[in-house]
Amino acid sequence: MPRELPQDPMIRQLVSQARQTRFSRRNVLQGMGIGAGALALAACAPSGSTAPTPAEDNSANDPTLVWGNWPAYLDEDDAGASPTLMRFEEETGIAVEYRVDVDDNNTFYGTIKDQLALGQYPGYDTFCLTEWMIARLIRFGYVQELDEANIPNKANLAPALLNPDFDPGRKLSLPWQNGFAGLAWDTEAFPKGLESVEDLWQPELKGKVTVLSELRDTMGILLLANGVDISSSDWGTEEYGEAIAVLEEHVTSGQIFGIKGNEYMQDFIAGDAIAGICWSGDITVLNAEVGYERFKFALPDTGGTLWGDTFVVPMGSTRKANAEALMNYYYEPEVAAEVAAWVNYITPVAGAAEAAAELFPEVAENQLIFPDEATLAQSHIFRTLNAADDQAFNNEFQRVSLGA
């Protein structure tokens, strides 16, 4: 049944207030990202290990849950609490500890990989990582199969997201949010803007360009600029080598000064960066910080990347049913619309756009939140890598990153 939400004016006030506070929330983990100096973690399972078995579920006797997620990724009020999460707790009786502990996939994985490999509780009952990392965890056998009987709202999952190559039918994972990586710039410092990846290499931008520490976003955009279809399997080390050479050239020359996680936003605010490869939702956060539309985002003429952050339940969790109840709740279209209005990323929930049209008409028209087919046609999903390519590509990317 449709969920009854607060009246529209109240919701509008919540979203407006929350947008003014979320940037400072994101800064809590500033500096904890992978940055330019971190080394890639191994892309293969620990040698000699065997796949762990799922812990016995004790949700019926333990109405608690620990959820790990990225900064600025859930609706908040001025006090830093989430109205949607508070309603979930009231309705279910499940107390949720929401921990903003993810700033970079590799860094977060490094903190829990030993427990995952042993099937021990890693400190979270569910967490949302980017799908390339989720594919790795599934390949290693580190996550539990979901009980669809506990997630009837899975029927609201957008059909295009139901059968990824790493988890056909979504038996082990469920999307949280999706988003684009593309080009962003400071309209005051660089008013002519960006249309192509080549525009980043203009002389007036030297030392003022930042790119993302997420390999699949930065390298995906560079590969697309070279004419590679990153969604297909018809490319490999040769094409990747050509793209990494472009990155290395501009790191070595000083054109690119930073390869960073979420902390790149501070560089834009400070004026240290005025252009770069960035995430779509962050631009709204930056504009909220300065109080006007100073920063812009666009997909390059050769295309941007489309990524997804996704729920899983680790093998060591004894509260899987509680996590499934949480997933089910956030797959109600009205709840998904409320979250989307705050985080400004693409909701995977079918029906959320219609709910948003009633609650937040201006959000429903935003192509970065509810993209139409034409916008989606400009975005591409980076194919799932096998273990050998994952390891080799990461090593090359980190080698170049060390010079930034």
Side-chain angles (χ1 to χ4, degrees), residues 17-18 33 68 92 112 141 151 160 179 191 203 207 239 264-265 271 293 313 400:
Q17 292 174 343
T92 64
I112 62 173
I151 318 174
E239 291 82 0
Y264 77 85
M265 296 172 66
E293 299 294 314
V313 178
V400 175

Side-chain angles (χ1 to χ4, degrees), residues 221-243:
I221 286 175
L222 294 180
L223 284 160
L224 287 164
N226 282 350
V228 176
D229 179 1
I230 62 172
S231 300
S232 78
S233 58
D234 297 331
W235 64 275
T237 54
E238 181 178 351
E239 291 82 0
Y240 186 83
E242 293 172 355

